[in-house]
Structures are given as C-alpha cells and as structure tokens.
Amino acid sequence: MAEVLSIDELRDRIDVIDNQLVRLLNVRVACAVEIGRLKHELGMPVYQPDREKKVLEKVKQSAQDLAGPLTSDAVVRIFERIIDEARRAERESGSTNEDFGPSIGE
C-alpha cells in the first residue's frame, strides 16, 4: 500500500528539491560562464543558435521520454529561461562584450 504523505511532508520534500535545483542551476550557469570565457579567448562567438537549438531539442526529448506531469513544451520554456539567465550571467561577468544573441523570451 502506498504511503500517503501530509501537505507539510510534501512541502518539506519540495523544499529539499528546490534547494537541489538551485544548486544545480548555479553549477550549470557557472559552466556556461566559463564556456563563454573560453570562447572569448578562442575568438569564437558566444551566441551559437545551433547549440541552443540542440540543447532545447535534447531537453524536450528527455521530457517526452520521462512522460512526467511536466509537458515537453513546459520543459522547453523552463530551459529557455535558464539559457536567458546564463547569458545574463555571462554579460555581468564581463567575460566578453560580444553579442549574446536574442533573449528567448522576447
């Protein structure tokens, strides 16, 4: 028989998951900032729409494979925001003055 959790227990689980998500997002953005720095050193453009498209396709496929309550379109929208924030972090880090491409949400 499945365990029935109370609202408070479920909220406690969500709090733990939120903390893990924040940690992982910070690690992801730190990697993106470092990639931006390396691209600048190598003279590569920071904004690479083909790579962005590939990332969004991969997360969409992952969402479809998992078939959870979050739709693949919802996952793509979330990752569009994550990518926007990674670009913002790169701009604020001063790693380059190069064009970062369009903000996806615009």
Side-chain angles (χ1 to χ4, degrees), residues 4 25 31-32 34 37 42 47 53-54 56 61-62 76 89 101:
V4 177
L25 288 169
C31 289
E34 182 63 12
R37 185 188 67 74
L42 296 169
Y47 177 56
K53 181 180 177 185
K54 188 182 223 179
L56 294 175
Q61 186 62 54
S62 291
V76 167

Side-chain angles (χ1 to χ4, degrees), residues 33 85-96 100:
V33 168
E85 290 304 317
R87 272 203 217 108
R88 182 200 52 74
E90 287 186 51
R91 279 193 298 270
E92 289 181 2
S93 74
S95 61
T96 180
F100 285 83

Side-chain angles (χ1 to χ4, degrees), residues 53 55-80:
K53 181 180 177 185
V55 169
L56 294 175
E57 288 171 354
K58 286 174 75 174
V59 298
K60 185 173 188 171
Q61 186 62 54
S62 291
Q64 289 170 346
D65 292 346
L66 289 171
L70 206 54
T71 67
S72 58
D73 288 339
V75 170
V76 167
R77 287 191 302 273
I78 291 166
F79 270 82
E80 287 173 342

Side-chain angles (χ1 to χ4, degrees), residues 2-87:
E3 178 184 3
V4 177
L5 300 176
S6 70
I7 290 174
D8 287 339
E9 290 169 324
L10 288 167
R11 286 180 176 160
D12 287 344
R13 278 189 176 185
I14 287 173
D15 290 344
V16 169
I17 293 165
D18 287 349
N19 187 279
Q20 292 171 338
L21 286 170
V22 169
R23 288 172 193 247
L24 289 171
L25 288 169
N26 274 298
V27 171
R28 188 191 192 287
V29 171
C31 289
V33 168
E34 182 63 12
I35 287 170
R37 185 188 67 74
L38 292 170
K39 285 180 182 177
H40 180 67
E41 288 178 6
L42 296 169
M44 296 171 62
V46 172
Y47 177 56
Q48 296 185 333
D50 290 341
R51 170 63 182 157
E52 191 172 289
K53 181 180 177 185
K54 188 182 223 179
V55 169
L56 294 175
E57 288 171 354
K58 286 174 75 174
V59 298
K60 185 173 188 171
Q61 186 62 54
S62 291
Q64 289 170 346
D65 292 346
L66 289 171
L70 206 54
T71 67
S72 58
D73 288 339
V75 170
V76 167
R77 287 191 302 273
I78 291 166
F79 270 82
E80 287 173 342
R81 289 305 315 253
I82 291 169
I83 292 167
D84 279 347
E85 290 304 317
R87 272 203 217 108

